[in-house]
Amino acid sequence: MRCFYFIVFSFILSAAASAEVQFIDATADAGITFQHVDGRTGEKYLIETLGSGALFFDYDADGYLDLYIVNATHIPPPVPEDTSQIHLPRNTLYRNNGDGTFTDVTQQAGVGDIGYGVGCAAADINNDGSPEIYVTNYGVNRLYHNNGDGTFTDITQQAGVGDERWGTSCAFLDYDLDGDVDLYVVNYMKFSVEENRWWETRGIRTYCSPTDQIAGSHFVSEPDILYRNNGDGTFTDVAVAAGISHRALGLAVAVGDYDNDGYPDLHIANDMEADFLYRNNGDGTFTETADFTGTGYDGNGFPGSGMGSAFGDYDNNGYLDLVVSNASSLPVVLYQNEDALFFTDVSFTAGIGAVTLPYFKWAVEFFDYNNDGLLDLFVANGHLQENIALFSDSTYPQSDLLFRNTRRQDGAYHFTDASVEVGLSQLPKRVSRGAAFGDYDNDGDIDIFLNNANQPATLLRNEGGNSNHWLTIQPIGTESNASGIGTRIVLKAGDMSLLKEVRSGASYLSQSDLRVHFGLGKNSEIDTLEIHWQSGHQEQFSNLKSNQILRIKEGHGVVDGQSTR
């Protein structure tokens, strides 16, 4: 009985602590007026359904996260060369003013693409200290070179990365460890506006399944692209040579070294097909291991309809676990990494499966919202069919979900739906798609940006997450790539041992802050911080103070820090 009361009391304390954290809609106060447009006309074109992404990144190196938001456009998409169409929907770049507000600098920066935008990522492709932007489209993809003076130049053609297929998510990674970032682009399917198909449900036109988009219920999915960075401003498609040649309805890419061998691996979330897990062989090639590792299907052996995916060590055992979101009637699948030998589907035993079944799920991400040292889980929701309420109990706009991670007395990790506690359930329901995560106000807790389908965007400010201690690290590579992508950081504080990687991509169509954020709970000091650079160089720091943002340069140690407390 005493044990029972202890567990109940511990739960009450945990709930009370979490209730101190609230997510506040700060969109208007921040000056963000972005409106997503998908060009819907009632014809039910399939391209209208996926939404678009966004990214947090510091394009002007002032220490504050800026925000790039992808937009779609009218159908059929306009001719990109017709720059006279100034009133067309376009991608938007917001500069962070450092005071909680943003300024739209799209026009002067030159990054307002008017294509039918889908996904995005950012990284320093030429190691000059300024990150570039890559955008996937239904149509020609775009690469914008950062000129270092607040402006960008479209270098798509000369770089050789202007693929014209229906691109979705993308991510930068240094797969061959040569010191510059390469680029992975996920592709969806062959699609023609002129040959679009739709369904009728009770006499009402609805979007059809991608598997029925082509006559005879045979769809044609597309292979992905792996671009190797040639080191001279150009890229070469090496997908076939690298073993990345499988066709699928790809929607998301997550990058992470799941087997701890020093080389980044790739998870691809596929729609209505088995997912892919590409193990990096370390020789420039990959092996698809989903069947062997158990990540192609759920625990019952069924393929999902993968929308978003992300790696993260939620149980703090030194191995990256994996989470994948799915459509309604399917759960968010949580795969527990079993010492890199295989993965186990623990969705229902961990408390996520049953709760997520009714929702149509897109972006999904691990992050520590309350800085207690455990990775929590965010799920962005919104149905695909805008008229779903006419023939179902479901709704088109839906509430997003936040699961709090806790460790039980028996050592098991369990997730509890904290959406009501943190204020998410009280916010207006949206049709969420892409989501990016980062501490945009540098106050020590992680905020959330949501790009909602055919609706205004939402910026959620984390209030109270910094009541616990924290540390944020920005690795800067010298022999490794300058963005630090792929760098593994191990932090030890008190009884905590935490592992994180610098990673591009993940979530859904989006990229979060490349800085690595650690929640430290009540630990005000870090015992040791180990940085494992992709060059093979390792550095260790001791007795660091918490509640600061540190920039650490490979081979040069801490170059500067910013304390907020």
Side-chain angles (χ1 to χ4, degrees):
M1 181 64 72
R2 181 180 301 173
C3 180
F4 170 78
Y5 283 124
F6 177 81
I7 292 173
V8 171
F9 182 65
S10 298
F11 174 80
I12 292 173
L13 286 179
S14 177
S18 297
E20 297 175 0
V21 180
Q22 293 287 298
F23 282 90
I24 308 299
D25 187 342
T27 316
D29 290 343
I32 294 173
T33 59
F34 180 86
Q35 165 76 49
H36 184 261
V37 175
D38 59 20
R40 64 184 67 181
T41 62
E43 295 295 319
K44 303 298 179 183
Y45 296 113
L46 191 64
I47 57 173
E48 301 166 3
T49 62
L50 296 188
S52 303
L55 68 90
F56 275 125
F57 75 134
D58 184 5
Y59 82 93
D60 53 1
D62 65 351
Y64 286 93
L65 291 180
D66 309 299
L67 180 60
Y68 187 74
I69 315 172
V70 178
N71 212 340
T73 187
H74 305 307
I75 301 174
V79 178
E81 288 72 24
D82 187 359
T83 56
S84 64
Q85 303 181 70
I86 59 174
H87 298 297
L88 286 171
R90 62 187 63 233
N91 300 351
T92 302
L93 175 63
Y94 284 100
R95 186 188 68 237
N96 191 328
N97 300 319
D99 59 1
T101 68
F102 292 80
T103 298
D104 184 343
V105 296
T106 310
Q107 185 173 354
Q108 51 265 51
V111 291
D113 186 31
I114 60 172
Y116 204 95
V118 188
C120 58
D124 185 355
I125 67 169
N126 55 4
N127 294 331
D128 67 351
S130 300
E132 278 67 45
I133 303 172
Y134 190 75
V135 181
T136 62
N137 289 309
Y138 169 67
V140 179
N141 299 335
R142 298 289 174 191
L143 176 62
Y144 292 102
H145 174 260
N146 190 330
N147 300 318
D149 59 1
T151 69
F152 291 76
T153 302
D154 186 340
I155 60 168
T156 309
Q157 186 173 357
Q158 51 265 51
V161 292
D163 191 76
E164 298 185 22
R165 285 171 286 183
W166 185 355
T168 54
S169 293
C170 55
F172 287 100
L173 72 158
D174 185 3
Y175 81 95
D176 51 3
L177 308 190
D178 65 350
D180 50 32
V181 290
D182 311 296
L183 174 63
Y184 193 95
V185 180
V186 182
N187 287 314
Y188 195 55
M189 65 176 291
K190 295 183 186 296
F191 177 81
S192 167
V193 170
E194 293 75 21
E195 298 177 1
N196 181 65
R197 295 166 63 86
W198 62 86
W199 284 341
E200 283 197 6
T201 304
R202 300 180 186 175
I204 302 170
R205 182 178 292 197
T206 60
Y207 297 107
C208 79
S209 165
T211 59
D212 199 32
Q213 222 9 261
I214 307 300
S217 296
H218 294 293
F219 62 93
V220 180
S221 52
E222 293 277 23
D224 297 342
I225 306 170
L226 176 62
Y227 289 111
R228 187 187 67 235
N229 190 331
N230 299 319
D232 59 0
T234 68
F235 291 78
T236 299
D237 182 355
V238 296
V240 174
I244 308 288
S245 56
H246 298 77
R247 289 179 176 269
L249 295 168
L251 286 177
V253 54
V255 183
D257 181 9
Y258 82 87
D259 54 1
N260 292 352
D261 67 351
Y263 288 87
D265 309 299
L266 295 158
H267 177 267
I268 312 301
N270 296 319
D271 190 5
M272 305 180 69
E273 300 177 278
D275 294 341
F276 298 147
L277 182 62
Y278 289 108
R279 188 189 71 236
N280 192 327
N281 299 320
D283 59 0
T285 68
F286 291 79
T287 299
E288 207 287 289
T289 64
D291 286 344
F292 176 76
T293 56
T295 52
Y297 305 88
D298 65 19
N300 296 314
F302 294 109
S305 54
M307 304 294 178
S309 66
F311 282 108
D313 182 12
Y314 82 90
D315 51 2
N316 289 342
N317 69 347
Y319 289 92
L320 296 179
D321 308 295
L322 176 66
V323 65
V324 183
S325 62
N326 288 290
S328 54
S329 300
L330 296 168
V332 166
V333 180
L334 178 63
Y335 293 104
Q336 181 174 289
N337 188 333
E338 306 290 356
D339 298 341
L341 299 175
F342 59 91
F343 289 77
T344 301
D345 178 355
V346 295
S347 313
F348 287 89
T349 57
I352 293 171
V355 178
T356 57
L357 281 173
Y359 295 88
F360 208 113
K361 303 158 288 287
W362 300 85
V364 63
E365 183 62 285
F366 291 111
F367 80 120
D368 186 358
Y369 81 92
N370 55 4
N371 285 350
D372 67 351
L374 296 177
L375 289 180
D376 310 296
L377 188 63
F378 180 87
V379 184
N381 303 309
H383 210 280
L384 183 143
Q385 304 286 356
E386 61 182 327
N387 49 13
I388 186 64
L390 296 177
F391 42 84
S392 168
D393 292 334
S394 189
T395 60
Y396 184 47
Q398 298 178 348
S399 295
D400 299 323
L401 297 171
L402 179 62
F403 292 91
R404 183 181 64 253
N405 186 1
T406 56
R407 187 183 186 192
R408 292 178 165 173
Q409 275 194 315
D410 61 1
Y413 291 81
H414 191 268
F415 290 87
T416 302
D417 184 0
S419 308
V420 174
E421 295 173 14
V422 301
L424 288 183
S425 298
Q426 290 83 350
L427 295 172
K429 294 180 180 179
R430 301 288 189 184
V431 186
S432 300
R433 293 294 189 264
F437 300 77
D439 184 6
Y440 80 89
D441 49 4
N442 284 351
D443 68 347
D445 47 35
I446 301 299
D447 312 295
I448 307 171
F449 178 82
L450 294 161
N451 196 355
N452 305 308
N454 212 50
Q455 293 180 326
T458 306
L459 177 65
L460 297 177
R461 186 180 68 245
N462 185 327
E463 287 289 339
N466 58 6
S467 60
N468 279 323
H469 295 292
W470 55 275
L471 183 72
T472 296
I473 303 294
Q474 181 182 353
I476 304 169
T478 53
E479 296 179 37
S480 307
N481 69 84
S483 295
I485 290 173
T487 304
R488 290 168 65 90
I489 303 177
V490 178
L491 179 150
K492 295 182 180 180
D495 60 355
M496 289 183 178
S497 181
L498 310 178
L499 163 69
K500 292 192 177 181
E501 291 185 347
V502 182
R503 53 190 174 90
S504 167
S507 179
Y508 171 71
L509 308 179
S510 303
Q511 178 174 305
S512 299
D513 184 8
L514 290 178
R515 299 179 301 182
V516 178
H517 180 89
F518 292 95
L520 301 175
K522 302 306 177 184
N523 295 292
S524 60
E525 188 171 282
I526 295 86
D527 298 324
T528 59
L529 183 76
E530 299 175 7
I531 300 187
H532 301 260
W533 302 92
Q534 284 198 316
S535 64
H537 186 212
Q538 297 183 20
E539 296 181 78
Q540 181 169 307
F541 305 88
S542 301
N543 303 319
L544 298 173
K545 297 298 182 183
S546 65
N547 304 330
Q548 59 177 330
I549 301 169
L550 297 179
R551 296 173 70 241
I552 299 179
K553 192 171 185 178
E554 183 179 9
H556 298 269
V558 177
V559 293
D560 62 58
Q562 175 184 350
S563 178
T564 64
R565 195 185 292 180

